[in-house]
Amino acid sequence: MARVPSAVVAATGLVGGYGVARWTRKRELGGAVLAVAGAAAAQQWRERAGGKAAGALTVAYVAAFAGSHPLAKKVGAWPAVFGVAGVVAAAAWAVADRGA
């Protein structure tokens, strides 16, 4: 069975986490979505690209989450979330998914 690319998992975690938090008005639920998807993506990154790459991509994932907050004040919440999700997805594809 084919695996979902880690780029899709990571982007879905960022977008889905925000969406769940916004629509349920429970930030904890959004954080849970973000964490579960991040852990799943990190496991794929480790398997496909090794520990150093997985660590770097995980840092990028967390930095994207954190960076989306100040960015949202400038461009709006959804554009910020989609923007950082796209950046993380592109990095994940380039480092871990391209050769898979």
Side-chain angles (χ1 to χ4, degrees):
M1 186 161 135
R3 282 187 155 200
V4 175
S6 67
V8 173
V9 174
T12 300
L14 289 161
V15 173
Y18 174 69
V20 167
R22 180 173 176 148
W23 289 315
T24 64
R25 298 181 187 212
K26 298 195 183 302
R27 295 178 76 180
E28 309 81 31
L29 291 178
V33 170
L34 181 81
V36 168
Q43 181 178 358
Q44 287 183 312
W45 295 331
R46 191 172 32 259
E47 291 171 0
R48 294 179 184 174
K52 286 185 181 181
L57 288 168
T58 300
V59 167
Y61 183 80
V62 173
F65 166 70
S68 69
H69 291 81
L71 183 60
K73 292 179 182 176
K74 296 180 187 230
V75 300
W78 281 112
V81 171
F82 284 126
V84 300
V87 170
V88 170
W93 178 82
V95 173
D97 294 334
R98 182 173 46 183

